[in-house]
Amino acid sequence: MTDDNAMLKRLHELRSEHRDLDTVIERLVHHPLNQLQLHRLKKRKLQLKDEISWIETRLIPDNIA
């Protein structure tokens, strides 16, 4: 497996987890007793977004002319 293939696989996994967190967060928003858990999930979601962005910038060639 090439580095690009491994990064694409990881990107897919991260995007999937990011979508799953959207669903979980949406459910917890309506339950004020779970604010700490909600905060942790939102923080994890931001970490995933950062990692997704990092991988995307590595996979997309820089074609500035």
Side-chain angles (χ1 to χ4, degrees):
M1 183 178 280
T2 67
D3 286 340
D4 283 353
N5 286 341
M7 286 180 28
L8 283 170
K9 182 180 179 203
R10 179 69 179 145
L11 184 60
H12 174 73
E13 292 167 353
L14 292 170
R15 285 180 175 163
S16 178
E17 184 179 351
H18 192 268
R19 280 190 306 272
D20 291 346
L21 280 174
D22 274 339
T23 303
V24 173
I25 289 170
E26 181 61 33
R27 290 180 185 161
L28 285 177
V29 165
H30 304 295
H31 301 287
L33 299 177
N34 295 321
Q35 291 303 305
L36 180 60
Q37 184 180 13
L38 181 62
H39 176 73
R40 288 178 179 157
L41 291 172
K42 286 181 176 183
K43 185 176 180 178
R44 174 66 182 148
K45 188 176 169 192
L46 287 173
Q47 291 170 336
L48 290 171
K49 184 178 177 182
D50 288 345
E51 192 171 348
I52 288 168
S53 295
W54 184 87
I55 291 173
E56 287 175 339
T57 59
R58 299 307 176 275
L59 290 173
I60 300 171
D62 214 8
N63 290 335
I64 298 175

